[in-house]
Amino acid sequence: ISTELRTEWGRAGVQAGKFTEGDFLIPSAVDTVDEELAGTYLELLGPGKSLFAGSLDLINEDDEDRVLATFYGSLPFSLAEIRGAGWYDSASEQLAGVGGIRRSNDRKYMEAGFLHVPEDFEYLNKTNSLPRGQSLLFGTYRVSGVRHGYYVEGSGGRLDASDQDSWLYRGSLGGYYRTSLRDTLSSSLNFSHKDTDSGGNQTRLHENFRYSRRRSKWDNSLQLQAIQLFDDPPDDNSSGSSDSYRWLGEVNSSYRTGIWDAGGKISLEHETVDTRDDKTSALFRLEGRTITGIGLTGGGFLQYGVDWNEGDRSEVYGGGINITFPLPGGWQLRTRLRAQRSSLSMESGALSGNDSDKTLSTIYFF
């Protein structure tokens, strides 16, 4: 049961009932509640597009009463906008919040702020909407143009989780350049480093390169990625280090007409981990779709994937069909069929091989 009053200065309302997960909407946040809930909310529109909102809710969950509160506000000025939000849950009796200042226009976006979420903060924990146990400073700078653009992002702060404190530093660089209105070259570099008080530091690098070429009917793209993970053992006498390196290459191509589309993808991936054998994977996929004059739509795909390492090899191949039938009154009958077969061959160990078949068929009516 809900009642809401809307005016030119905002809205206010009350809600009560038995809610299932994901059904209850709080201004500027989504809460997942499994039992009875009763609450009220208020949203005010101020001068200059300013906004102030809040909600207070009483929840009976697992035979226990909880109080949830949400606060949100934004106050724009001529040069920038100040924004902030806060969450309170009586179960943990702690408060989480985020605040910052933002300035943006058609080409530039700048934001800096601070986030704090206690480790045992219970509010919204079912959907992991907030990174619990973090106190981070963050900043973003973006420039967008017709021919080129770039961004710089960074954050750093303290992590409190599992009775182990650590420091986290993250940064991202990226940009794009259009050689023409239909050809785009983009790349990015992501860096993160976690420094724990007990040792066992971890560093991660992720590089990405992409080139896309669009024509009136053809779309093509080439993407290359490299991910490197470096682990330091907690102490010099430990052998827990497990550095890994992963490279991925992918080529996509598609052709479009007014009545049918067709395309495919080829990807190759190689992973090297210090504690186990190297692994290589390949994937091949073909797909297409067509539309008839009476509105009947049909499509399908075929794909084949293979993984192999020292002496072991596994294969997965299959396909699918999608058909949509138009019906009177705006209804549609959609039919989907999926089939897949996998096989595994091992040269060592007690198992010499294992095959499995899986077929999934589903019919939808809308």
Side-chain angles (χ1 to χ4, degrees), residues 249-306:
E250 185 176 281
V251 178
N252 287 273
S253 182
S254 62
Y255 185 80
R256 304 184 309 273
T257 68
I259 58 176
W260 61 270
D261 305 334
K265 178 178 72 172
I266 301 175
S267 64
L268 181 65
E269 181 179 349
H270 181 79
E271 184 178 20
T272 301
V273 183
D274 291 346
T275 56
R276 63 174 184 262
D277 297 332
D278 293 358
K279 180 181 178 181
T280 305
S281 305
L283 176 66
F284 306 90
R285 180 183 177 98
L286 296 174
E287 55 187 358
R289 184 177 68 102
T290 183
I291 303 175
T292 64
I294 61 175
L296 178 65
T297 303
F301 73 94
L302 295 172
Q303 68 179 18
Y304 169 78
V306 57

Side-chain angles (χ1 to χ4, degrees), residues 107-364:
R107 295 189 64 252
K108 294 183 179 181
Y109 177 92
M110 296 175 287
E111 184 175 23
F114 177 74
L115 168 70
H116 173 69
V117 183
E119 178 187 358
D120 55 352
F121 191 67
E122 296 294 335
Y123 187 33
L124 304 178
N125 62 341
K126 296 180 181 179
T127 56
N128 295 323
S129 299
L130 296 174
R132 293 193 293 169
Q134 297 193 14
S135 299
L136 301 177
L137 285 169
F138 61 88
T140 300
Y141 180 76
R142 295 178 179 268
V143 175
S144 302
V146 177
R147 299 284 296 190
H148 63 84
Y150 60 91
Y151 69 90
V152 179
E153 295 180 339
S155 62
R158 192 168 185 83
L159 307 182
D160 299 321
S162 302
D163 298 328
Q164 179 175 287
D165 296 337
S166 60
W167 289 88
L168 177 66
Y169 309 96
R170 290 181 296 204
S172 299
L173 297 172
Y176 65 88
Y177 178 76
R178 293 191 175 99
T179 57
S180 68
L181 292 178
R182 297 181 177 180
D183 300 337
T184 304
L185 178 67
S186 61
S187 63
S188 64
L189 172 64
N190 298 283
F191 163 82
S192 67
H193 177 75
K194 185 169 68 172
D195 188 353
T196 62
D197 294 345
S198 59
N201 303 333
Q202 185 180 87
T203 303
R204 184 177 186 269
L205 290 174
H206 182 192
E207 302 92 10
N208 183 72
F209 171 85
R210 179 180 175 86
Y211 176 72
S212 61
R213 181 181 179 91
R214 304 196 63 179
R215 291 300 179 260
S216 59
K217 295 183 177 182
W218 278 102
D219 282 350
N220 302 289
S221 67
L222 169 66
Q223 183 170 244
L224 300 175
Q225 293 187 47
I227 300 176
Q228 305 171 62
L229 185 64
F230 307 97
D231 284 333
D232 295 335
D235 52 70
D236 296 338
N237 298 323
S238 174
S239 59
S241 176
S242 178
D243 296 345
S244 64
Y245 310 89
R246 183 159 66 95
W247 293 270
L248 172 65
E250 185 176 281
V251 178
N252 287 273
S253 182
S254 62
Y255 185 80
R256 304 184 309 273
T257 68
I259 58 176
W260 61 270
D261 305 334
K265 178 178 72 172
I266 301 175
S267 64
L268 181 65
E269 181 179 349
H270 181 79
E271 184 178 20
T272 301
V273 183
D274 291 346
T275 56
R276 63 174 184 262
D277 297 332
D278 293 358
K279 180 181 178 181
T280 305
S281 305
L283 176 66
F284 306 90
R285 180 183 177 98
L286 296 174
E287 55 187 358
R289 184 177 68 102
T290 183
I291 303 175
T292 64
I294 61 175
L296 178 65
T297 303
F301 73 94
L302 295 172
Q303 68 179 18
Y304 169 78
V306 57
D307 298 341
W308 68 92
N309 54 16
E310 295 292 335
D312 299 335
R313 176 188 176 95
S314 62
E315 297 179 349
V316 176
Y317 48 92
I321 297 175
N322 297 291
I323 301 177
T324 302
F325 301 90
L327 299 177
W331 289 87
Q332 292 182 344
L333 178 63
R334 302 180 186 178
T335 303
R336 182 175 69 178
L337 174 66
R338 297 286 187 269
Q340 178 178 297
R341 177 179 171 84
S342 61
S343 63
L344 173 64
S345 62
M346 304 176 64
E347 295 183 356
S348 60
L351 296 177
S352 59
N354 182 26
D355 293 344
S356 65
D357 295 325
K358 180 188 295 184
T359 301
L360 305 175
S361 60
T362 309
I363 295 179
Y364 295 96

